[in-house]
Amino acid sequence: MKMSQGVEWAVHTLLALAWVDDGKPVPTARLAASHELPPAYLNKQLQSLVKAGLLESLPGARGGFRLARRAGDITLMDVVTAIEGPAPAFQCTEIRRRGMGASAPDSCFRTACAVNASMQRAELAWRQALAAQTLEDVRAEADRHAPAMAGVARQAYGRE
Amino acid sequence: MKMSQGVEWAVHTLLALAWVDDGKPVPTARLAASHELPPAYLNKQLQSLVKAGLLESLPGARGGFRLARRAGDITLMDVVTAIEGPAPAFQCTEIRRRGMGASAPDSCFRTACAVNASMQRAELAWRQALAAQTLEDVRAEADRHAPAMAGVARQAYGRE
DNA sequence: GTGCGAATACTCGGATACCGCGTGTCCGAGTAAGTGAGG
DNA sequence: CCTCACTTACTCGGACACGCGGTATCCGAGTATTCGCAC
């Protein structure tokens, strides 16, 4: 039950791009340097964000990545799904049917597995909590506690 | 972000033990056979449940495992924590301090990382949803939809 | 018949291999910018 | 001076190794049962 490291990188990178805000793309090398991350691996993660429609990539010289939507339209759920994939954390393998379950009447399996249902309810709460928080919200909280960071980010990307 | 298979095994095994209910222990071999699971590996998982105080183990002949508490006092959160460990799924590595963060004033880092805070909020919702559901609740839901399973379980363990 | 002791069979518990997936890296395809010559 | 084609340098994108944690297994320590024997 460990979340991929890429999620943390992705959110921080998206946050930095939200701080820059202008339409100009930022190349992987700068994004990686701004958090001391391995550039090639960060690039791999960013490609997942492009496929998910969170980032736009511009090839060629002066290319790079920029937000594909407004920060308010990107939820943390979007980011987690983009990196981790859409599969639920708890995967029911229907072991209730195996072993002693094989000798139980079919009527026992008309409805979904109760164990799975309980776990999915909890997971739904998690997903809803993630979907309720946008990148804009995260930015607002960061700006409230550390208003200097937005300027630091813009400076790191040569914007001012 | 994939949960260990052992969680599913643990919940189903605890549920089966809740159906048996009498104080007599059930050995690993029977518990494994009742769901067609590898006995040795299931044993490993059950040991985690013993350490967490959810199960009692009785060594020697006619030994085995039995619930250490009432089913109503065992939450799904307890089970997940026992198998997966207490570490949070999202682990903040404070990458905000690295790279461009190093040139930011210390005042930026007085409060917790906003990214981490958001992820932890979502995770808390998940944990609360897990803690709100007890093994007794799962059993009640299973009995409602498949009332025959309790008897099947008792029979599988030679209880009647 | 009864009590005792040793042999026995069964169980948990931790130590030991295996393997898939996340982690990390590299190089090639493609594009925009820059440059120089020609009109 | 302006236009255009070529060169150049830079960027993304996917293909290629590595390492660690979950998966799976085995064997030894310990105990209740059981059997046999002596009284």
Side-chain angles (χ1 to χ4, degrees):
Chain A
M1 195 58 191
K2 192 172 125 296
M3 185 172 298
S4 170
Q5 184 102 23
V7 173
E8 184 183 11
W9 299 4
V11 178
H12 276 282
T13 300
L14 288 170
L15 179 60
L17 286 173
W19 272 327
V20 170
D21 203 24
D22 61 0
K24 305 291 182 186
V26 181
T28 304
R30 290 215 175 205
L31 292 170
S34 66
H35 290 101
E36 288 182 11
L37 303 176
Y41 190 30
L42 177 64
N43 191 339
K44 185 183 178 65
Q45 311 286 6
L46 296 183
Q47 285 174 31
S48 299
L49 298 181
V50 171
K51 283 187 180 176
L54 306 184
L55 283 183
E56 266 180 345
S57 68
L58 282 74
R62 307 294 170 96
F65 296 91
R66 65 184 177 195
L67 294 183
R69 317 179 204 157
R70 276 287 175 216
D73 295 331
I74 296 176
T75 70
L76 293 183
M77 182 74 246
D78 296 329
V79 182
V80 171
T81 300
I83 301 293
E84 296 281 337
F90 182 89
Q91 278 145 332
C92 178
T93 60
E94 289 288 333
I95 63 175
R96 61 173 178 164
R97 295 178 188 268
R98 299 211 295 271
M100 65 181 184
S103 60
D106 284 350
S107 64
C108 291
F109 308 120
R110 288 284 151 71
T111 58
C113 173
V115 173
N116 187 35
S118 300
M119 299 300 285
Q120 294 307 329
R121 272 192 290 269
E123 210 167 316
L124 182 62
W126 175 65
R127 290 209 146 82
Q128 288 176 339
L130 283 176
Q133 300 180 91
T134 70
L135 188 59
E136 182 64 36
D137 298 329
V138 177
R139 177 189 167 154
E141 182 174 345
D143 282 339
R144 197 175 328 121
H145 295 316
M149 284 307 296
V152 171
R154 278 192 287 270
Q155 188 176 0
Y157 301 148
R159 286 303 190 276
E160 56 191 31
Chain B
M1 196 58 192
K2 192 173 124 295
M3 186 171 298
S4 170
Q5 184 101 23
V7 173
E8 184 184 11
W9 299 4
V11 178
H12 276 281
T13 300
L14 289 169
L15 179 59
L17 287 173
W19 272 327
V20 170
D21 203 23
D22 60 359
K24 306 291 182 185
V26 180
T28 304
R30 291 216 175 203
L31 292 170
S34 67
H35 290 101
E36 289 182 11
L37 303 176
Y41 189 31
L42 177 63
N43 190 335
K44 185 183 177 66
Q45 310 285 7
L46 296 182
Q47 286 175 33
S48 300
L49 299 180
V50 171
K51 283 187 179 174
L54 306 185
L55 284 184
E56 266 180 346
S57 69
L58 281 73
R62 307 292 169 96
F65 296 91
R66 65 183 177 195
L67 294 184
R69 318 178 202 157
R70 277 285 175 220
D73 295 331
I74 296 177
T75 70
L76 292 183
M77 181 75 245
D78 296 329
V79 182
V80 171
T81 301
I83 300 293
E84 295 281 337
F90 182 89
Q91 278 144 332
C92 179
T93 59
E94 289 289 332
I95 64 175
R96 62 174 178 165
R97 295 178 187 269
R98 299 212 295 272
M100 66 181 182
S103 61
D106 284 349
S107 64
C108 290
F109 308 120
R110 288 285 150 71
T111 58
C113 173
V115 174
N116 187 35
S118 301
M119 298 301 285
Q120 294 306 328
R121 272 192 290 270
E123 210 166 315
L124 182 63
W126 176 66
R127 290 209 145 82
Q128 288 176 338
L130 284 177
Q133 301 180 88
T134 71
L135 187 59
E136 182 65 35
D137 298 330
V138 176
R139 177 191 166 152
E141 182 174 345
D143 282 338
R144 197 174 330 120
H145 296 315
M149 282 309 295
V152 171
R154 277 192 288 270
Q155 188 176 359
Y157 301 149
R159 285 303 190 277
E160 56 191 32

